[in-house]
Amino acid sequence: MTDCEEPPLRQRPQPPRRPRGRGRLATRARRHSPPTAPRPSAGAAAPGSQGPPTEEAPDRHHLQPPPRPATTPPDGPRTPGPPPVPAEIRRPSPNGSREESPRRRRQPHELRPAASSGGGAGLGGPLYYKGWYHLFYQYNPKGADWVNTLWAHSVSRDLINWNVLGLALESSIRSDHYGVWSGSATILLDGTPVLVYTGINRADTPYQVQNVAIPKNKSDPLLREWVKPDYTPIIVPDSGMNVTQFRDPSTAWHIDGQWRILVGGEKGSQGQAYVYWSTDFKHWVRAKHPLHSAINGMWECLDFFPVLVQGKKGLDTSEHSGRVKYVLKSSLEKARYDYYTIGTYNNRTERYVPDDLNGDYHRLRYDYGKFYASKTFFDPAKQRRVLVGWANESDTVPDDIAKGWSGIHAIPRKIWLDPGGKQLVQWPIEEVEQLRRKSVGVTNKVVKPRNHFEVKGLETYQADVEVSFEIPSLERAEPFDHAFSNDAQKLCRMKGADKKGGVGPFGLWVLASANLEEKTAVFFRIFRDGHGKPVVLMCTDPTKSSLGRDLDKPTYAGFVNVNVSSSGEISLRSLIDHSVVESFGAGGRTCIISRVYPSIAIGQNAHLYVFNNGDVDVKVSRLKAWEMQSSKMINSA
């Protein structure tokens, strides 16, 4: 057998597991039915951004896989995969009907049929090519664990409805024989797309090298076949580097005749963004120093891109002229969240400097919920930068195996720099609105203290809700304890939705049962600091989301950088999708995605309420809610 051949699957040695942090193992079950797609969220700041939360974060984050593709042993013809799983597993609901529980559904959501994948840093590389959006992602066709990882591939015309094409990259050469891990996509100067990814080339240790793949036929807009040139691997760790913490190459950028690319690493306890240069995308040389580093552990899934100082227009990754700032994002292996800083990039010194010199240790987050290993890409068709991320499960491994999937994509988000220049703003891409159907509205309705009302007239287990709240007075706002300035999540745990306050908590109860035994709260609570300035906390509190057992139900929270003193109002948008709740505060300045598994509030038994558990009136100046139809997923593998 040559180095370029792989052994049959049943004989292939198991690749080493990718090192992940501590905590519960959320494994991914085998899945043979069509997958499902992306959804919304946003980063925020104030009063001092949050650092990693004090509680232990979940260990593995997995994306929902596509149908199991056919396998190709080197010594035999392609054989078909197993037949599709039969009818969906259902269990009786409390009213006796056979309404399915989200914990048993084979599909966790209907708004997001983009394919999802197996464990680790799941997203491979989103890109736009010849009229199609492409999404590459890690996928394990063999079972419920982070082993045998390959790259699967789905395409879409609108980032909402998807076609699953099957595998893009398999373990087929020496330098990826024991694993095809995360990476990115880059469009070369001649328009050729290239995939750069981490491969594992040893059985006894996750020795990491960077490989490249190119289209077999670049005139094919679907990019269905990829080949690995003989000059791969293109980047290997130098002597003295941590070879097991050297992965996830970024999208490359081109300035002054040279390509640059980042590879994440760790030196001691310092996260590293190593820079490599090339003139031909084949031969690469490491810069003398990293682009940036900080003492906060391994930096995975690096992303580095420019944003306009003013305006929402997106920029190509190689754009370097005009008034731009740069965003450096890393997924922190220990914290299990995506953090970013905004700063200045000098391409001559090859240095990046955050505007906030303390930003590396009190960093902003894209999303303050279950959101990890994200990637952005420039969409030339609509001149925007799009963010794609994913969220793991919060139920048990047996549940994951029973339902046949684990983890989901968030709905893609448009992303741009806030006019103040201190944070990014995110908003669900406009295409998701094509799924809106029946709607209801509420205007100028006052919610008295300790009161709530139901939003009736539509089914809300799959819904899009936009609401604006007016706060007539902040005099009763609780004093803010600055000990929580960098830990909004802890503050939310202490002052959850059922904890009575001054100005708030007020917001939405989503996926709620008729008698409120089950409810997931998405809300605001307003404090005042020692100078009388309001401090706005946004929370998702799922502690009463389900009567089911063995569920992880952590609260998630972030501060919202918005001046409610001058405006007197604040907005909230929540996308509700069976077991997923994605919420955007103040126009996308703070975003939170959460996973919930109600046992009663499912299907037509799910209700939507507006509540106020504070001491002062809150007015719903405008509320609009839509039922959402399911997006489409076609298995073209």
Side-chain angles (χ1 to χ4, degrees):
M1 183 179 298
T2 68
D3 291 341
C4 294
E5 293 179 280
E6 60 179 354
L9 287 175
R10 54 177 168 248
Q11 298 177 11
R12 186 186 304 161
Q14 296 294 304
R17 292 173 180 262
R18 180 172 190 160
R20 318 310 288 153
R22 302 161 297 166
R24 182 178 67 84
L25 175 66
T27 57
R28 186 199 59 70
R30 185 178 306 172
R31 174 182 167 83
H32 307 307
S33 56
T36 330
R39 309 186 37 124
S41 219
S49 349
Q50 292 75 39
T54 55
E55 70 176 8
E56 190 171 282
D59 179 54
R60 306 269 171 101
H61 302 248
H62 306 296
L63 292 173
Q64 175 185 340
R68 181 175 180 176
T71 57
T72 311
D75 54 352
R78 176 174 291 273
T79 57
V85 175
E88 293 183 324
I89 300 171
R90 297 174 181 264
R91 62 182 179 188
S93 66
N95 63 10
S97 68
R98 295 197 61 80
E99 183 64 66
E100 59 187 325
S101 165
R103 295 190 72 184
R104 309 298 291 184
R105 290 171 52 83
R106 285 193 297 116
Q107 288 192 357
H109 40 68
E110 301 293 345
L111 304 184
R112 66 201 70 240
S116 305
S117 76
L123 286 167
L127 76 147
Y128 180 85
Y129 186 72
K130 292 185 181 293
W132 290 88
Y133 295 101
H134 295 255
L135 193 60
F136 301 90
Y137 45 91
Q138 289 182 301
Y139 165 52
N140 174 12
K142 298 192 69 177
D145 205 350
W146 201 94
V147 293
N148 303 300
T149 52
L150 313 172
W151 274 30
H153 181 197
S154 293
V155 295
S156 173
R157 289 287 194 182
D158 57 10
L159 288 168
I160 297 297
N161 302 289
W162 292 84
N163 290 269
V164 181
L165 299 183
L167 289 180
L169 299 177
E170 302 182 62
S171 296
S172 60
I173 58 176
R174 180 188 294 273
S175 57
D176 66 15
H177 189 71
Y178 298 100
V180 178
W181 286 9
S182 301
S184 297
T186 296
I187 304 293
L188 300 183
L189 299 182
D190 66 356
T192 302
V194 176
L195 303 180
V196 186
Y197 66 97
T198 298
I200 306 302
N201 66 358
R202 295 184 185 178
D204 57 342
T205 186
Y207 192 101
Q208 297 160 22
V209 299
Q210 316 313 318
N211 298 305
V212 66
I214 57 179
K216 185 175 182 179
N217 176 14
K218 71 176 185 179
S219 66
D220 175 15
L222 298 184
L223 300 173
R224 281 169 283 205
E225 295 184 83
W226 294 82
V227 295
K228 301 167 186 177
D230 57 9
Y231 54 81
T232 198
I234 56 172
I235 298 173
V236 298
D238 292 335
S239 175
M241 295 176 67
N242 186 340
V243 299
T244 66
Q245 300 283 55
F246 180 70
R247 56 182 175 267
D248 307 338
S250 72
T251 297
W253 68 101
H254 190 270
I255 299 176
D256 297 336
Q258 285 207 103
W259 287 101
R260 279 95 161 160
I261 200 168
L262 299 180
V263 179
E266 183 178 26
K267 184 177 181 180
S269 59
Q270 276 198 335
Q272 305 278 315
Y274 295 115
V275 186
Y276 287 82
W277 298 322
S278 176
T279 57
D280 59 6
F281 222 89
K282 297 179 181 180
H283 307 91
W284 294 82
V285 177
R286 183 166 65 94
K288 292 181 179 180
H289 52 75
L291 180 81
H292 191 59
S293 63
I295 304 174
N296 46 21
M298 173 63 190
W299 287 3
E300 298 188 301
C301 306
L302 290 172
D303 204 3
F304 186 60
F305 57 90
V307 289
L308 283 174
V309 172
Q310 295 292 330
K312 298 181 181 181
K313 178 183 174 183
L315 297 174
D316 182 84
T317 308
S318 295
E319 180 64 50
H320 190 63
S321 60
R323 299 184 63 205
V324 301
K325 286 287 186 178
Y326 276 80
V327 176
L328 177 60
K329 167 262 169 182
S330 61
S331 301
L332 294 192
E333 184 184 40
K334 293 180 180 178
R336 308 301 298 163
Y337 295 112
D338 282 7
Y339 294 84
Y340 73 92
T341 56
I342 298 166
T344 302
Y345 166 55
N346 186 323
N347 67 296
R348 299 190 185 281
T349 62
E350 219 63 76
R351 292 283 195 185
Y352 166 82
V353 179
D355 291 345
D356 180 358
L357 297 182
N358 293 317
D360 286 314
Y361 307 104
H362 300 297
R363 300 207 294 176
L364 300 165
R365 278 167 54 182
Y366 280 162
D367 189 290
Y368 292 88
K370 282 184 172 289
F371 192 85
Y372 193 68
S374 61
K375 290 283 185 182
T376 67
F377 72 100
F378 174 62
D379 175 8
K382 294 200 171 183
Q383 295 291 298
R384 61 185 175 180
R385 181 156 289 272
V386 177
L387 169 68
V388 183
W390 53 281
N392 76 326
E393 302 300 315
S394 293
D395 57 358
T396 66
V397 171
D399 280 312
D400 292 345
I401 294 173
K403 67 196 176 193
W405 49 266
S406 177
I408 56 97
H409 281 143
I411 284 182
R413 308 165 184 177
K414 181 177 178 179
I415 187 169
W416 67 94
L417 186 64
D418 180 80
K422 294 184 178 180
Q423 69 166 94
L424 296 173
V425 180
Q426 303 164 63
W427 198 246
I429 57 170
E430 60 186 2
E431 289 88 340
V432 75
E433 296 174 13
Q434 68 186 270
L435 302 179
R436 289 173 172 175
R437 289 300 178 260
K438 182 181 179 181
S439 66
V440 297
V442 176
T443 57
N444 298 321
K445 185 176 181 67
V446 174
V447 189
K448 293 290 185 180
R450 320 287 188 259
N451 270 283
H452 63 271
F453 71 87
E454 184 175 0
V455 179
K456 298 182 178 182
L458 77 169
E459 295 180 352
T460 60
Y461 60 89
Q462 195 169 295
D464 187 359
V465 185
E466 295 187 8
V467 57
S468 293
F469 297 99
E470 289 185 11
I471 307 105
S473 173
L474 298 176
E475 291 183 4
R476 302 292 296 274
E478 303 161 79
F480 178 70
D481 184 345
H482 283 274
F484 298 104
S485 293
N486 294 313
D487 201 343
Q489 189 166 339
K490 184 176 181 180
L491 181 58
C492 183
R493 286 200 305 271
M494 293 180 61
K495 293 182 176 290
D498 291 336
K499 187 83 170 179
K500 297 177 181 179
V503 182
F506 61 86
L508 302 174
W509 286 328
V510 305
L511 296 173
S513 58
N515 295 323
L516 297 176
E517 305 102 316
E518 294 184 338
K519 58 187 178 183
T520 295
V522 184
F523 66 91
F524 299 109
R525 193 179 196 119
I526 302 177
F527 301 84
R528 285 198 299 179
D529 66 14
H531 303 286
K533 182 179 178 181
V535 177
V536 180
L537 178 71
M538 177 178 166
C539 296
T540 293
D541 182 354
T543 54
K544 295 188 176 180
S545 61
S546 178
L547 299 180
R549 298 180 179 179
D550 301 321
L551 296 174
D552 182 25
K553 296 185 284 187
T555 57
Y556 293 109
F559 294 109
V560 188
N561 189 7
V562 61
N563 188 354
V564 293
S565 294
S566 60
S567 66
E569 62 181 12
I570 191 168
S571 66
L572 176 66
R573 182 180 182 183
S574 287
L575 282 163
I576 305 157
D577 193 3
H578 297 276
S579 69
V580 190
V581 181
E582 290 192 57
S583 299
F584 300 79
R589 287 173 174 80
T590 300
C591 304
I592 301 173
I593 184 171
S594 184
R595 304 302 308 280
V596 294
Y597 309 88
S599 60
I600 301 173
I602 54 179
Q604 295 181 354
N605 296 317
H607 299 261
L608 171 67
Y609 298 88
V610 177
F611 77 95
N612 176 16
N613 206 16
D615 283 336
V616 299
D617 293 353
V618 173
K619 180 192 283 189
V620 175
S621 56
R622 177 186 176 275
L623 181 149
K624 191 74 175 287
W626 294 264
E627 289 182 2
M628 301 288 276
Q629 74 172 20
S630 299
S631 54
K632 298 176 182 178
M633 172 61 66
I634 299 173
N635 179 14
S636 303

